Amino acid sequence: MKLLDCPDIGKRPISEFDYLGEIRIPPSDADEATWADYVFNRDNAPGVLRERWYHRPTGRWFILERNTLTDEVVGLVDPADVRYKEPNYEVPA
Amino acid sequence: MNAYASTDMSNLSLSVRDDLCGYLLTGPESASALSAAGLPLPEAQLSAEEAGGALVARTGSDEYLAFLPKGQNAPACAWCFPRADRILAVQGEGWIELMAQLCQFDFRKMQPGDWLMASVAGVNCWLYREQSGNALLIGFDAGFDHYLSDVFNTLVSELGGKESTKGGAL
């Protein structure tokens, strides 16, 4: 059984979680090439990633820092730290 | 070595707690509504307190689950919603072995008064170990009642216990 060691609720079976992927800040006011790079490309290099996890029984969202090389959770991130201002999109006429 | 080899399973029993009505309270007025109703107010998140036959669990910064005896008025709060939880109670020395077959949590750590939200037989459940009587309460969405009741009844029978009802439904 694989466990996820959540700094908030402790060790829980990985089957109780949904993985929502790496947190990435979208570029604002960027050209198309930058946006294409953001949408389609990933570094995919081992290291510490900030990832969203959802624990279904408690209904809680977590932002965890996880070392993808060692599969070790190294920290809990405050959502305020990954908040970003959404760009003002103009709807074309 | 099986840590539970010497456990006496003959007194394991399963009952339905349909004498409790559940409510979800959320929003900034939830704590004051509980206090005004004379209900306990757990301090820590993911903890629970019981008093006067009522059980209140804190599931978020301003979110609570309250289970009150039937007939007791719901807390007066605009954001107080009735829930339709099915609540089972497991009692007896073999409850840890029973739960070990259904949930990956280590129930040897669970003390009276502890609150837990975990997956039981694949269903999201809340679990509370009563202070008195030491029954383990297992609450879940009533839509899973047929499945989970069947699973629990089968396991209790296999482990040598007996099924019973409490609350006068039958």
Side-chain angles (χ1 to χ4, degrees):
Chain A
M1 174 177 60
K2 185 173 178 179
L3 298 173
L4 191 146
D5 192 3
C6 176
D8 191 14
I9 59 172
K11 283 186 180 176
R12 295 301 188 93
I14 197 82
S15 58
E16 291 185 354
F17 289 89
D18 287 329
Y19 177 67
L20 279 298
E22 179 188 4
I23 289 185
R24 303 162 72 236
I25 309 295
S28 57
D29 300 326
D31 57 20
E32 287 191 359
T34 308
W35 267 105
D37 182 55
Y38 167 77
V39 171
F40 296 110
N41 297 326
R42 301 288 184 275
D43 288 341
N44 206 26
V48 175
L49 288 189
R50 288 181 164 183
E51 302 166 324
R52 277 197 180 90
W53 292 83
Y54 177 66
H55 185 242
R56 289 190 302 275
T58 56
R60 292 184 162 215
W61 294 84
F62 299 106
I63 301 171
L64 302 179
E65 282 186 328
R66 185 176 66 97
N67 188 324
T68 58
L69 183 66
T70 61
D71 197 21
E72 179 189 9
V73 175
V74 295
L76 185 67
V77 178
D78 187 335
D81 292 347
V82 295
R83 194 171 293 155
Y84 59 88
K85 187 181 177 186
E86 291 191 2
N88 293 320
Y89 297 106
E90 289 183 13
V91 180
Chain B
M1 178 183 166
N2 184 352
Y4 312 113
S6 62
T7 303
D8 177 15
M9 298 290 176
S10 59
N11 64 353
L12 190 63
S13 69
L14 177 71
S15 56
V16 176
R17 289 293 304 272
D18 50 9
D19 56 327
L20 293 172
C21 290
Y23 299 92
L24 168 71
L25 289 93
T26 187
E29 296 172 5
S30 54
S32 56
L34 286 170
S35 298
L39 294 168
L41 202 61
E43 275 190 29
Q45 292 188 28
L46 298 180
S47 71
E49 285 184 26
E50 56 181 316
L55 169 66
V56 178
R58 187 170 187 177
T59 53
S61 59
D62 57 6
E63 185 182 276
Y64 298 86
L65 290 181
F67 298 93
L68 314 181
K70 261 186 182 164
Q72 191 168 329
N73 289 335
C77 172
W79 295 83
C80 175
F81 307 100
R83 284 173 59 101
D85 290 34
R86 185 67 161 171
I87 304 173
L88 302 178
V90 177
Q91 270 182 304
E93 287 180 22
W95 73 274
I96 292 180
E97 180 168 358
L98 172 77
M99 293 307 298
Q101 299 195 37
L102 297 173
C103 181
Q104 292 164 318
F105 185 80
D106 184 357
F107 284 92
R108 290 172 297 186
K109 298 176 183 171
M110 196 171 194
Q111 300 300 312
D114 281 357
W115 171 268
L116 173 71
M117 299 178 92
S119 177
V120 176
V123 176
N124 296 331
C125 295
W126 58 261
L127 303 102
Y128 176 74
R129 197 167 167 211
E130 285 185 322
Q131 297 273 13
S132 59
N134 273 344
L136 178 71
L137 303 185
I138 303 144
F140 49 89
D141 188 296
F144 294 100
D145 181 33
H146 184 78
Y147 163 65
L148 269 187
S149 292
D150 187 52
V151 168
F152 271 94
N153 285 328
T154 303
L155 268 178
V156 166
S157 299
E158 283 180 3
L159 293 171
K162 59 180 184 294
E163 305 150 24
S164 65
T165 58
K166 183 181 176 184
L170 296 176

